[in-house]
Coordinates of all heavy atoms in Angstrom, one line a residue:
M102 N 45.3 67.5 115.6 CA 45.9 68.8 115.6 C 47.0 69.0 116.6 O 48.0 69.6 116.2 CB 44.7 69.9 115.9 CG 45.2 71.3 115.9 SD 45.6 71.7 114.2 CE 46.0 73.3 114.3
M103 N 46.9 68.4 117.7 CA 48.0 68.4 118.7 C 49.2 67.8 118.3 O 50.3 68.2 118.5 CB 47.5 67.9 120.1 CG 46.5 68.7 120.8 SD 47.2 70.4 121.2 CE 48.4 69.9 122.5
R104 N 49.1 66.7 117.5 CA 50.1 65.9 117.0 C 50.9 66.7 116.0 O 52.1 66.7 116.0 CB 49.6 64.6 116.3 CG 50.7 63.6 116.0 CD 50.1 62.4 115.4 NE 49.7 61.5 116.5 CZ 49.0 60.3 116.4 NH1 48.7 60.0 115.2 NH2 48.7 59.7 117.4
I105 N 50.3 67.5 115.2 CA 50.9 68.3 114.1 C 51.7 69.4 114.9 O 52.9 69.6 114.6 CB 50.0 68.9 113.2 CG1 49.3 67.8 112.3 CG2 50.6 70.0 112.3 CD1 48.3 68.3 111.4
L106 N 51.2 70.0 115.9 CA 51.8 71.1 116.7 C 53.0 70.5 117.4 O 54.1 71.1 117.5 CB 50.9 71.8 117.6 CG 49.8 72.6 117.1 CD1 48.9 73.1 118.2 CD2 50.4 73.8 116.3
F107 N 53.0 69.3 117.9 CA 54.0 68.6 118.6 C 55.2 68.5 117.7 O 56.4 68.8 118.0 CB 53.6 67.3 119.1 CG 54.8 66.5 119.6 CD1 55.4 66.7 120.8 CD2 55.3 65.4 118.8 CE1 56.5 65.9 121.2 CE2 56.3 64.6 119.2 CZ 56.9 64.9 120.5
W108 N 55.0 67.9 116.4 CA 56.0 67.7 115.5 C 56.7 69.0 114.9 O 57.8 69.1 114.8 CB 55.5 66.9 114.3 CG 55.3 65.4 114.6 CD1 54.2 64.8 114.8 CD2 56.4 64.5 115.0 NE1 54.4 63.5 115.1 CE2 55.8 63.3 115.3 CE3 57.7 64.6 115.0 CZ2 56.5 62.2 115.7 CZ3 58.5 63.4 115.4 CH2 57.8 62.3 115.8
I109 N 55.8 70.0 114.7 CA 56.3 71.3 114.4 C 57.3 71.9 115.5 O 58.4 72.4 115.2 CB 55.2 72.3 114.1 CG1 54.6 71.9 112.7 CG2 55.7 73.8 113.8 CD1 53.2 72.7 112.4
G110 N 56.9 71.8 116.7 CA 57.7 72.3 117.8 C 58.9 71.5 117.9 O 60.1 72.1 118.2
L111 N 58.9 70.2 117.7 CA 60.1 69.3 117.8 C 61.0 69.7 116.7 O 62.3 69.9 116.9 CB 59.7 67.9 117.8 CG 60.9 66.9 117.9 CD1 61.4 67.0 119.2 CD2 60.3 65.5 117.6
I112 N 60.5 69.9 115.5 CA 61.4 70.3 114.4 C 62.1 71.7 114.7 O 63.3 71.9 114.4 CB 60.6 70.3 113.1 CG1 60.2 68.9 112.7 CG2 61.4 71.1 111.9 CD1 59.3 68.9 111.5
V113 N 61.3 72.6 115.2 CA 61.9 73.9 115.5 C 63.0 73.8 116.6 O 64.1 74.5 116.5 CB 60.8 74.9 116.0 CG1 61.3 76.2 116.6 CG2 59.9 75.2 114.8
L114 N 62.9 73.0 117.6 CA 63.8 72.8 118.6 C 65.1 72.1 118.0 O 66.2 72.5 118.4 CB 63.3 72.0 119.7 CG 62.2 72.6 120.7 CD1 61.7 71.6 121.7 CD2 62.9 73.8 121.3
V115 N 64.9 71.2 117.2 CA 66.1 70.5 116.5 C 66.9 71.5 115.7 O 68.1 71.5 115.8 CB 65.6 69.3 115.7 CG1 66.8 68.8 114.9 CG2 65.1 68.2 116.6
I116 N 66.2 72.3 115.0 CA 66.9 73.3 114.1 C 67.6 74.3 115.0 O 68.7 74.6 114.7 CB 65.8 74.0 113.1 CG1 65.4 73.0 112.1 CG2 66.5 75.2 112.5 CD1 64.3 73.5 111.2
A117 N 67.0 74.7 116.0 CA 67.7 75.7 116.9 C 68.9 75.1 117.6 O 69.9 75.7 117.7 CB 66.7 76.2 118.0
A118 N 68.9 73.8 118.0 CA 70.0 73.1 118.5 C 71.1 73.0 117.5 O 72.3 73.2 117.8 CB 69.6 71.8 119.1
I119 N 70.8 72.7 116.3 CA 71.9 72.6 115.2 C 72.5 73.9 115.0 O 73.7 74.0 114.9 CB 71.2 71.9 113.9 CG1 70.9 70.5 114.2 CG2 72.2 72.1 112.8 CD1 70.1 69.8 113.1
R120 N 71.6 75.0 114.9 CA 72.3 76.3 114.7 C 73.1 76.7 115.8 O 74.2 77.3 115.6 CB 71.2 77.2 114.5 CG 70.4 77.2 113.1 CD 69.4 78.2 112.9 NE 70.0 79.5 112.7 CZ 69.4 80.6 112.7 NH1 68.1 80.6 112.9 NH2 70.0 81.7 112.5
S121 N 72.7 76.4 117.0 CA 73.6 76.7 118.2 C 74.9 76.0 118.2 O 76.0 76.6 118.5 CB 72.8 76.3 119.5 OG 73.6 76.5 120.6
K122 N 74.9 74.8 117.8 CA 76.2 74.0 117.7 C 77.1 74.5 116.6 O 78.3 74.7 116.8 CB 75.9 72.6 117.3 CG 75.3 71.7 118.5 CD 76.5 71.4 119.4 CE 76.0 70.4 120.5 NZ 76.9 70.1 121.5
I123 N 76.5 74.9 115.5 CA 77.3 75.5 114.4 C 77.9 76.8 114.8 O 79.1 77.0 114.6 CB 76.4 75.7 113.1 CG1 76.1 74.3 112.5 CG2 77.1 76.5 112.0 CD1 75.0 74.3 111.4
R124 N 77.1 77.6 115.5 CA 77.7 79.0 115.9 C 78.8 78.8 116.9 O 79.8 79.5 116.9 CB 76.6 79.8 116.5 CG 75.7 80.4 115.5 CD 74.7 81.3 116.2 NE 73.7 81.8 115.2 CZ 72.5 82.1 115.5 NH1 72.0 82.0 116.7 NH2 71.8 82.6 114.5
G125 N 78.7 77.8 117.8 CA 79.8 77.5 118.8 C 81.0 77.1 118.1 O 82.1 77.5 118.5
K126 N 80.9 76.3 117.0 CA 82.1 75.8 116.4 C 82.7 76.9 115.6 O 83.9 77.0 115.5 CB 81.7 74.7 115.4 CG 81.3 73.3 116.0 CD 82.5 72.7 116.6 CE 82.1 71.4 117.2 NZ 83.1 70.8 118.0
L127 N 81.9 77.9 115.0 CA 82.5 79.0 114.4 C 83.2 79.9 115.3 O 84.3 80.4 114.9 CB 81.4 79.8 113.6 CG 80.8 79.0 112.3 CD1 79.7 79.9 111.8 CD2 81.9 78.8 111.3
R128 N 82.7 80.0 116.5 CA 83.4 80.9 117.5 C 84.7 80.3 117.9 O 85.7 81.0 118.1 CB 82.6 81.0 118.7 CG 81.5 82.2 118.5 CD 80.8 82.6 119.9 NE 79.5 82.8 119.7 CZ 78.4 82.1 120.0 NH1 78.6 81.0 120.6 NH2 77.3 82.5 119.6
E129 N 84.8 79.0 118.0 CA 86.0 78.3 118.4 C 87.1 78.5 117.3 O 88.3 78.6 117.5 CB 85.8 76.8 118.5 CG 85.0 76.4 119.7 CD 84.7 75.0 119.9 OE1 85.2 74.2 119.0 OE2 84.0 74.6 120.8
M130 N 86.6 78.5 116.0 CA 87.6 78.6 114.8 C 88.1 80.1 114.6 O 89.1 80.2 114.1 CB 86.9 78.1 113.6 CG 86.7 76.6 113.6 SD 85.7 75.9 112.3 CE 86.1 76.9 110.8
T131 N 87.3 81.0 115.1 CA 87.8 82.5 114.8 C 88.8 82.8 115.8 O 88.7 82.6 117.1 CB 86.6 83.4 115.1 OG1 85.4 83.0 114.2 CG2 86.9 84.9 114.8
P132 N 90.0 83.4 115.4 CA 90.9 83.7 116.3 C 90.5 84.9 117.2 O 89.7 85.8 116.8 CB 92.1 84.2 115.4 CG 91.5 84.4 114.1 CD 90.3 83.7 114.1
P133 N 91.1 85.1 118.4 CA 90.8 86.2 119.3 C 91.2 87.6 118.8 O 92.2 87.6 118.0 CB 91.4 85.8 120.7 CG 92.6 85.0 120.2 CD 92.1 84.2 119.0
P134 N 90.5 88.6 119.2 CA 91.0 89.9 118.7 C 92.5 90.2 119.1 O 92.9 89.8 120.2 CB 90.1 90.9 119.5 CG 88.9 90.1 119.8 CD 89.4 88.7 120.0
G135 N 93.2 90.8 118.2 CA 94.6 91.1 118.5 C 95.5 90.1 117.9 O 96.7 90.3 117.7
H136 N 94.9 88.9 117.5 CA 95.7 87.9 117.0 C 96.0 88.3 115.5 O 95.2 88.8 114.9 CB 94.8 86.5 116.9 CG 95.7 85.3 116.5 ND1 95.7 85.0 115.2 CD2 96.4 84.4 117.2 CE1 96.4 83.9 115.0 NE2 96.9 83.5 116.2
P137 N 97.2 88.0 115.0 CA 97.5 88.4 113.6 C 96.5 88.0 112.5 O 96.3 88.6 111.5 CB 98.9 87.8 113.3 CG 99.5 87.5 114.6 CD 98.3 87.3 115.6
G138 N 95.8 86.8 112.7 CA 95.0 86.3 111.7 C 93.5 86.9 111.9 O 92.6 86.6 111.1
Y139 N 93.3 87.7 112.9 CA 92.0 88.2 113.1 C 91.6 89.2 112.1 O 92.4 90.1 111.7 CB 91.9 88.9 114.5 CG 90.6 89.4 115.0 CD1 89.7 88.5 115.4 CD2 90.3 90.7 115.0 CE1 88.4 88.9 115.9 CE2 89.1 91.2 115.4 CZ 88.1 90.3 115.9 OH 86.8 90.6 116.3
P140 N 90.3 89.2 111.6 CA 89.9 90.1 110.6 C 89.9 91.5 111.2 O 89.4 91.8 112.2 CB 88.4 89.7 110.2 CG 88.3 88.4 110.7 CD 89.3 88.2 111.8
G141 N 90.6 92.5 110.5 CA 90.7 93.7 111.0 C 91.9 94.0 112.0 O 92.0 94.9 112.7
A142 N 92.9 93.0 111.9 CA 94.0 93.2 112.7 C 95.0 94.3 112.3 O 95.9 94.7 113.0 CB 94.9 91.8 112.7
G143 N 94.7 94.9 111.1 CA 95.5 96.0 110.6 C 96.7 95.7 109.9 O 96.8 94.5 109.5
P144 N 97.6 96.6 109.7 CA 98.7 96.4 108.9 C 99.8 95.5 109.6 O 100.7 95.1 108.9 CB 99.4 97.8 108.8 CG 98.8 98.6 109.9 CD 97.4 98.0 110.2
Q145 N 99.6 95.0 110.8 CA 100.5 94.1 111.5 C 100.3 92.6 110.9 O 101.1 91.8 111.2 CB 100.3 94.1 112.9 CG 100.7 95.4 113.6 CD 99.6 96.4 113.6 OE1 98.4 96.1 113.2 NE2 99.9 97.7 113.9
A146 N 99.2 92.4 110.2 CA 98.9 91.1 109.7 C 100.0 90.6 108.8 O 100.4 91.4 107.9 CB 97.5 91.1 109.1
P147 N 100.4 89.4 108.8 CA 101.4 89.0 108.0 C 101.2 89.0 106.5 O 102.0 89.4 105.7 CB 101.7 87.5 108.4 CG 100.9 87.3 109.7 CD 99.9 88.4 109.7
L148 N 100.0 88.8 106.1 CA 99.6 88.8 104.7 C 99.8 90.2 104.2 O 100.4 90.4 103.0 CB 98.1 88.4 104.5 CG 97.7 88.3 103.1 CD1 98.5 87.3 102.3 CD2 96.2 87.9 103.0
M149 N 99.4 91.3 104.9 CA 99.6 92.6 104.4 C 101.1 93.0 104.2 O 101.5 93.7 103.3 CB 99.0 93.6 105.3 CG 97.5 93.6 105.3 SD 96.7 93.9 103.7 CE 97.1 95.5 103.5
R150 N 102.0 92.5 105.1 CA 103.4 92.7 104.9 C 103.9 92.0 103.8 O 104.8 92.6 103.1 CB 104.2 92.3 106.2 CG 104.0 93.3 107.4 CD 104.9 93.0 108.5 NE 104.1 92.2 109.5 CZ 104.4 91.1 110.0 NH1 105.5 90.6 109.9 NH2 103.5 90.6 110.9
E151 N 103.4 90.9 103.5 CA 104.0 90.1 102.3 C 103.6 90.8 101.0 O 104.4 90.8 100.0 CB 103.4 88.7 102.3 CG 104.0 87.8 103.5 CD 103.3 86.5 103.5 OE1 102.6 86.1 102.5 OE2 103.5 85.8 104.5
L152 N 102.3 91.3 100.9 CA 101.9 91.9 99.6 C 102.5 93.2 99.3 O 102.9 93.5 98.1 CB 100.4 92.0 99.7 CG 99.5 90.8 99.6 CD1 98.1 91.0 99.7 CD2 99.9 90.0 98.3
G153 N 102.7 94.0 100.3 CA 103.2 95.4 100.0 C 102.2 96.3 99.3 O 101.0 96.1 99.4
A154 N 102.7 97.3 98.7 CA 101.9 98.3 98.0 C 101.3 97.7 96.7 O 101.8 96.8 96.1 CB 102.6 99.5 97.6
T155 N 100.1 98.2 96.4 CA 99.4 97.7 95.2 C 99.2 98.9 94.3 O 99.1 100.1 94.6 CB 98.0 97.1 95.5 OG1 97.2 98.1 96.1 CG2 98.1 95.9 96.3
V156 N 99.2 98.6 92.9 CA 99.0 99.6 91.9 C 97.8 99.1 91.0 O 97.5 97.9 90.9 CB 100.3 99.8 91.1 CG1 101.4 100.5 91.9 CG2 100.8 98.6 90.5
E157 N 97.4 100.0 90.2 CA 96.2 99.8 89.3 C 96.8 99.7 87.9 O 97.6 100.5 87.4 CB 95.1 100.9 89.4 CG 94.0 100.6 88.5 CD 92.9 101.6 88.6 OE1 93.3 102.7 89.2 OE2 91.8 101.5 88.3
C158 N 96.4 98.7 87.1 CA 96.7 98.5 85.8 C 96.0 99.7 84.9 O 94.9 100.0 85.1 CB 96.3 97.2 85.2 SG 96.7 97.0 83.4
A159 N 96.8 100.4 84.1 CA 96.3 101.5 83.3 C 95.3 101.0 82.3 O 94.5 101.8 81.8 CB 97.4 102.3 82.7
H160 N 95.3 99.7 81.9 CA 94.5 99.2 80.8 C 93.3 98.6 81.3 O 92.1 99.0 81.0 CB 95.2 98.2 79.9 CG 94.4 97.7 78.8 ND1 94.0 98.4 77.7 CD2 93.8 96.5 78.7 CE1 93.3 97.8 76.9 NE2 93.1 96.5 77.5
C161 N 93.3 97.6 82.3 CA 92.2 96.8 82.8 C 91.7 97.3 84.2 O 90.7 96.7 84.7 CB 92.5 95.3 82.7 SG 93.8 94.8 83.9
H162 N 92.5 98.2 84.8 CA 92.1 98.7 86.1 C 92.0 97.6 87.3 O 91.2 97.8 88.2 CB 90.8 99.5 86.1 CG 90.7 100.5 85.0 ND1 91.5 101.7 85.1 CD2 90.1 100.6 83.8 CE1 91.3 102.5 84.1 NE2 90.5 101.8 83.2
V163 N 92.8 96.6 87.1 CA 92.9 95.6 88.1 C 94.1 96.0 89.1 O 95.1 96.4 88.6 CB 93.2 94.2 87.5 CG1 93.5 93.2 88.6 CG2 91.9 93.7 86.7
Y164 N 93.9 95.8 90.4 CA 94.9 96.0 91.3 C 95.8 94.8 91.6 O 95.3 93.7 91.6 CB 94.3 96.5 92.7 CG 93.8 98.0 92.7 CD1 92.5 98.2 92.3 CD2 94.6 99.0 92.9 CE1 92.0 99.4 92.2 CE2 94.2 100.3 92.9 CZ 92.8 100.5 92.5 OH 92.3 101.8 92.4
F165 N 97.1 95.0 91.7 CA 98.1 93.9 91.8 C 99.3 94.4 92.5 O 99.4 95.8 92.7 CB 98.4 93.3 90.5 CG 99.0 94.3 89.5 CD1 100.3 94.6 89.4 CD2 98.1 95.1 88.7 CE1 100.9 95.5 88.5 CE2 98.6 96.2 87.8 CZ 99.9 96.3 87.7
P166 N 100.1 93.5 93.1 CA 101.3 94.0 93.8 C 102.3 94.9 93.0 O 102.4 94.6 91.8 CB 102.0 92.8 94.3 CG 101.0 91.7 94.2 CD 100.0 92.1 93.1
E167 N 102.8 95.9 93.5 CA 103.7 96.8 92.8 C 105.0 96.1 92.3 O 105.5 96.4 91.3 CB 104.1 98.0 93.7 CG 104.9 99.0 93.0 CD 105.1 100.2 94.0 OE1 105.3 100.0 95.2 OE2 105.2 101.3 93.4
S168 N 105.3 95.0 93.0 CA 106.5 94.3 92.6 C 106.4 93.5 91.3 O 107.3 93.2 90.6 CB 106.9 93.3 93.7 OG 105.9 92.3 93.9
E169 N 105.1 93.3 90.9 CA 104.8 92.6 89.7 C 104.5 93.5 88.5 O 104.1 93.1 87.4 CB 103.6 91.6 89.9 CG 103.9 90.5 90.9 CD 102.7 89.7 91.1 OE1 101.6 89.7 90.3 OE2 102.7 88.9 92.1
A170 N 104.6 94.8 88.7 CA 104.2 95.9 87.7 C 105.2 95.8 86.5 O 106.3 95.7 86.7 CB 104.1 97.2 88.3
V171 N 104.5 96.1 85.4 CA 105.3 96.3 84.1 C 105.1 97.8 83.8 O 104.0 98.2 83.7 CB 104.8 95.4 82.9 CG1 105.6 95.7 81.6 CG2 105.0 94.0 83.3
T172 N 106.3 98.5 83.8 CA 106.1 100.0 83.6 C 106.4 100.4 82.2 O 107.4 99.9 81.6 CB 107.0 100.8 84.5 OG1 106.8 100.3 85.9 CG2 106.8 102.2 84.5
A173 N 105.5 101.2 81.5 CA 105.8 101.7 80.2 C 105.1 103.1 80.1 O 104.0 103.3 80.6 CB 105.1 100.8 79.2
N174 N 105.9 104.0 79.6 CA 105.4 105.4 79.4 C 104.9 106.0 80.7 O 103.9 106.7 80.8 CB 104.2 105.5 78.4 CG 104.7 105.0 77.1 OD1 105.8 105.2 76.7 ND2 103.8 104.3 76.3
G175 N 105.6 105.7 81.9 CA 105.3 106.3 83.2 C 104.0 105.7 83.8 O 103.6 106.2 84.8
R176 N 103.5 104.6 83.2 CA 102.3 104.0 83.8 C 102.5 102.5 84.2 O 103.4 101.9 83.6 CB 101.1 104.1 82.8 CG 100.7 105.4 82.4 CD 99.5 105.4 81.6 NE 99.0 106.8 81.5 CZ 98.3 107.2 80.5 NH1 97.8 106.4 79.6 NH2 97.8 108.5 80.5
A177 N 101.8 102.0 85.1 CA 102.0 100.6 85.5 C 100.9 99.7 84.9 O 99.7 100.1 84.7 CB 101.8 100.6 87.1
Y178 N 101.3 98.6 84.4 CA 100.5 97.6 83.8 C 100.7 96.3 84.4 O 101.7 95.9 85.0 CB 100.9 97.5 82.2 CG 100.6 98.8 81.5 CD1 101.6 99.7 81.3 CD2 99.3 99.0 80.9 CE1 101.4 100.9 80.6 CE2 99.1 100.2 80.2 CZ 100.1 101.1 80.1 OH 99.9 102.2 79.3
C179 N 99.6 95.4 84.3 CA 99.7 94.1 85.0 C 100.4 93.1 84.1 O 100.8 92.1 84.7 CB 98.3 93.6 85.3 SG 97.2 93.3 83.8
S180 N 100.6 93.3 82.9 CA 101.4 92.3 82.0 C 102.0 93.1 80.8 O 101.6 94.2 80.5 CB 100.4 91.3 81.5 OG 99.4 91.9 80.6
P181 N 102.9 92.4 80.2 CA 103.6 93.0 79.0 C 102.5 93.3 77.8 O 102.6 94.2 77.1 CB 104.6 92.0 78.6 CG 104.9 91.2 79.8 CD 103.6 91.2 80.6
E182 N 101.5 92.4 77.7 CA 100.5 92.5 76.7 C 99.7 93.8 76.9 O 99.4 94.5 75.9 CB 99.5 91.3 76.7 CG 100.2 90.0 76.3 CD 101.0 89.3 77.4 OE1 100.8 89.7 78.6 OE2 101.7 88.4 77.1
H183 N 99.3 94.1 78.2 CA 98.6 95.4 78.4 C 99.5 96.6 78.3 O 99.0 97.6 77.9 CB 98.0 95.3 79.8 CG 96.7 94.5 79.9 ND1 96.0 94.4 81.0 CD2 96.2 93.7 78.9 CE1 94.9 93.5 80.7 NE2 95.0 93.1 79.5
A184 N 100.8 96.4 78.4 CA 101.7 97.6 78.2 C 101.7 97.9 76.8 O 101.9 99.1 76.4 CB 103.0 97.2 78.7
N185 N 101.5 97.0 75.9 CA 101.5 97.3 74.4 C 100.2 97.8 73.9 O 100.1 98.4 72.9 CB 101.8 96.0 73.6 CG 103.2 95.5 73.9 OD1 104.2 96.3 74.2 ND2 103.4 94.2 73.8
L186 N 99.1 97.7 74.8 CA 97.7 98.2 74.3 C 97.6 99.6 74.9 O 98.3 100.1 75.9 CB 96.7 97.4 74.9 CG 96.7 95.9 74.5 CD1 95.6 95.0 75.3 CD2 96.3 95.8 73.0
P187 N 96.7 100.4 74.3 CA 96.5 101.8 74.8 C 95.8 101.8 76.1 O 95.0 100.9 76.5 CB 95.6 102.4 73.7 CG 94.9 101.3 73.1 CD 95.9 100.2 73.1
P188 N 96.0 102.8 77.0 CA 95.4 102.8 78.3 C 93.8 103.0 78.1 O 93.4 103.7 77.2 CB 95.9 104.0 79.0 CG 96.9 104.7 78.1 CD 97.0 103.9 76.9
A189 N 93.1 102.4 78.9 CA 91.6 102.5 78.8 C 91.1 103.7 79.4 O 91.6 104.3 80.3 CB 90.9 101.3 79.5

């Protein structure tokens, strides 16, 4: 019985050590707060500046950059094919 408890305890310790190492590596890979790549960095993040405003397709309701919009009858569409179809 003691032998089984020893092995169970050893396995638990090994798993805890591996999880600790993985968490440490993830912390090293995460940029510090205030860095442009930090999640929640706000509108200053380079990706947000590149995308610009988004609009919703009147047919399929998918959001896409406004610069790629196809406009027909005063509505924005994601492609010329959807501009020819009725709005959903």
